[in-house]
Amino acid sequence: MSEPAIFKAKALIAKAQHIVVLTGAGVSAESGIKTFRAAEGLWEEHSIEDVATPQGFRNDPQLVWRFYNERRRAADIATPNPGHIALARLESLRLLRQKIKSSSAPFMILTQNIDGLHQQAGSQNVLELHGSIWLVRCTGCESLRDDYPIQLPVPPRCDECGSLLRPHVVWFGEALEEAVLAQAEKATRGADLFLVIGTSAVVQPAASYPFMAARRKIPVIEINLEKTPVSEIATLTLLGKSGDILPKLL
Ligand code: BV8
Ligand code: ZN
């Protein structure tokens, strides 16, 4: 990734008043969390249909919980990497700089990740598009708790009503929460700079926000190890590790 590109990105960031960032599994890769589509990716060991769809859960809740217990353990030992920390620092600098409390936030992260590492790094304005691995929901009474042990019994049952518990994440074929969709769209409409970091940009509707930003003619900066569909519409694509590039952008 060239130095001029870094300078151009820094200039765009310096000018922006409302930055929205879409992140994917790539920002957590340097924290030791497996991505989905890389060689040793998560989906290699399991088929999406079996472990990340409602029918997969109906067919074999034990298999699904072994998969999510494995990811809870990985997320529990993971710590934020320099990429997460740079994003949290950028937000805090913007919050300091923001004089009047304007309607739209100066900085917002839309994350596809469920590991909670952005929040752990200190990011305050984080919208979890696909839920959280730390939240567990009852399929019967809808109770929602985050105080279960890292490894849940397989399969776990609700101690209030005895129904099966499930991870509070959005599986394929499930709709994202209406409120989440509305907030993500509002943020994208109010942005004057859109960053896309560590995502293969194939999963919808998350991948639609950078394109919505590009249609509004605002600059889109992509940071990734490889080109993605977003690269076609990005103002700048910085190729490299987010943990290396993001600290340079501060
Ligand atoms: C919906 C939560 C409608 C769970 C996830 C056909 C059949 C069925 C469905 C569909 C279909 N066609 C389209 C769909 C819709 C489907 C979809 O988009 N499918 C894709 C596969 C085509 N979408 C849905 O089903 C969504 N819901 O459409 O509902 C509806 C409407 C009304 C009523 C009912 C239904 C729900 C999608 C959410 C699925 N849940 N996660 C969990 O995590 O366990 S998706 C999951 O995969 C992640 O959340 C994330 O979104 C996605 C993974 O993508 P990435 O994060 O991008 O990760 P990936 O590994 O792919 O890429 C990593 C990138 O980082 C790479 O580019 C790599 O180069 C880069 N990288 C790696 N290391 C680094 C790096 N970059 C920088 N630095 C590094 N160090
Ligand atoms: Zn219950």
Side-chain angles (χ1 to χ4, degrees):
M1 164 265 322
S2 66
E3 285 312 307
I6 282 278
F7 288 122
K8 204 171 163 207
K10 283 167 77 107
L12 288 169
I13 290 171
K15 247 185 353 214
Q17 303 289 319
H18 299 286
I19 302 176
V20 173
V21 189
L22 173 69
T23 63
V27 292
S28 293
E30 291 157 82
S31 299
I33 295 197
K34 282 185 182 173
T35 64
F36 292 84
R37 288 172 182 76
E40 86 297 336
L42 279 167
W43 303 132
E44 291 311 303
E45 293 135 43
H46 309 278
S47 94
I48 291 185
E49 287 68 27
D50 296 343
V51 291
T53 60
Q55 51 275 29
F57 183 67
R58 265 195 304 282
N59 290 346
D60 190 345
Q62 287 90 331
L63 172 69
V64 171
W65 268 109
R66 281 197 298 279
F67 175 64
Y68 282 95
N69 266 344
E70 191 184 302
R71 295 180 65 201
R72 283 166 67 97
R73 188 184 16 253
D76 180 49
I77 56 176
T79 53
N81 66 59
H84 294 111
I85 293 162
L87 289 172
R89 282 202 49 224
L90 185 52
E91 178 189 43
S92 61
L93 292 170
R94 286 313 162 95
L95 287 170
L96 282 174
R97 186 174 103 172
Q98 189 192 29
K99 297 181 191 55
I100 38 132
K101 280 261 165 280
S102 78
S103 63
S104 50
F107 195 90
M108 179 168 197
I109 295 178
L110 312 176
T111 189
Q112 301 170 85
N113 301 338
I114 60 175
D115 55 33
L117 289 177
H118 283 303
Q119 297 92 321
Q120 222 181 301
S123 288
Q124 295 172 40
N125 202 358
V126 180
L127 186 62
E128 292 177 317
L129 299 176
H130 297 156
S132 165
I133 201 161
W134 301 120
L135 282 171
V136 176
R137 182 169 92 225
C138 175
T139 58
C141 65
E142 295 292 312
S143 87
L144 192 58
R145 287 170 43 190
D146 66 357
D147 56 357
Y148 289 100
I150 303 295
Q151 300 296 281
L152 283 93
V154 174
R157 291 206 167 267
C158 173
D159 45 26
E160 269 108 55
C161 76
S163 307
L164 265 181
L165 299 176
R166 62 164 280 176
H168 186 61
V169 300
V170 180
W171 280 327
F172 287 97
E174 292 188 316
L176 279 67
E177 288 175 24
E178 278 309 315
V180 167
L181 288 168
Q183 282 178 68
E185 186 156 338
K186 180 169 181 277
T188 304
R189 294 207 181 290
D192 56 6
L193 174 62
F194 201 99
L195 309 184
V196 190
I197 311 173
T199 181
S200 57
V202 294
V203 172
Q204 297 299 343
S208 64
Y209 297 112
F211 293 87
M212 194 188 291
R215 277 198 301 279
R216 292 190 50 242
K217 305 272 179 273
I218 64 163
V220 175
I221 300 176
E222 178 183 33
I223 298 174
N224 201 304
L225 288 185
E226 62 189 3
K227 294 247 175 206
T228 73
V230 164
S231 312
E232 317 280 312
I233 53 100
T235 316
L236 273 177
T237 291
L238 307 178
L239 291 179
K241 290 184 172 181
S242 49
D244 294 343
I245 295 174
L246 282 167
K248 289 195 179 109
L249 293 183
L250 276 186

